[in-house]
């Protein structure tokens, strides 16, 4: 069992930056692929970014490419989502997720979820 606790988020003006953190407890996240999702009111949950367990492979949805960076520090059992040049359309509840995987690749379905954190970007 992996427990994921998120921190970061909040209110920022358009063009600003925020960093989300996702810290795991219960066991090491080393063999887990990690991902970040978001869900805006009235919209479906969207897979925003993913990172393989080595950190060697990353994925970004098109709308955040060049603005968001996903990373992980396995020694700290923590994943990060650095969000720059934020836009009002980035406003959503952001959730981190983890899934154990034998292969060092991106996964799109996850087992464990963080509690979610609100990111609001004002225009």
């Amino acid at each position: 069992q992996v427990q994921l606790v998120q921190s970061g988020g909040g209110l920022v003006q358009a063009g600003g930056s925020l960093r989300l953190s996702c810290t795991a407890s219960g066991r090491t996240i080393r063999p887990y692929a990690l991902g970040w999702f978001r869900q805006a009111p009235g919209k479906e949950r969207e897979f925003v970014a993913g990172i393989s367990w080595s950190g060697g492979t990353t994925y970004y949805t098109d709308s955040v490419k060049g603005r968001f960076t996903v990373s992980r520090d396995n020694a700290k059992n923590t994943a990060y989502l650095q969000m720059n040049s934020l836009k009002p359309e980035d406003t959503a509840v952001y959730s981190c997720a983890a899934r154990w995987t034998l292969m060092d690749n991106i996964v799109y379905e996850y087992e464990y979820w963080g509690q979610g954190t609100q990111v609001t970007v004002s225009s």
Side-chain angles (χ1 to χ4, degrees):
Q1 189 80 6
V2 175
Q3 293 81 41
L4 302 175
V5 178
Q6 297 178 223
S7 60
L11 174 64
V12 65
Q13 288 188 330
S17 298
L18 286 172
R19 188 177 80 159
L20 305 182
S21 299
C22 176
T23 300
S25 62
R27 57 181 62 186
T28 176
I29 61 168
R30 196 172 299 274
Y32 288 80
L34 301 171
W36 289 94
F37 290 76
R38 68 184 178 187
Q39 188 165 21
K43 295 188 176 180
E44 292 187 354
R45 185 168 62 194
E46 177 185 23
F47 183 37
V48 175
I51 187 166
S52 63
W53 53 253
S54 72
T57 304
T58 57
Y59 163 87
Y60 299 96
T61 194
D62 286 347
S63 62
V64 308
K65 285 179 181 176
R67 301 188 298 121
F68 289 14
T69 302
V70 60
S71 61
R72 62 191 295 161
D73 185 338
N74 288 340
K76 294 183 178 180
N77 248 20
T78 300
Y80 305 96
L81 184 67
Q82 178 67 43
M83 305 183 292
N84 299 329
S85 301
L86 283 161
K87 304 176 181 180
E89 51 264 42
D90 295 317
T91 295
V93 174
Y94 285 71
S95 299
C96 64
R99 178 176 177 173
W100 184 89
T101 175
L102 187 62
M103 304 295 292
D104 185 24
N105 56 8
I106 302 298
V107 300
Y108 297 90
E109 294 184 357
Y110 288 82
E111 300 173 278
Y112 305 104
W113 294 85
Q115 80 274 21
T117 187
Q118 178 69 44
V119 170
T120 302
V121 184
S122 63
S123 58

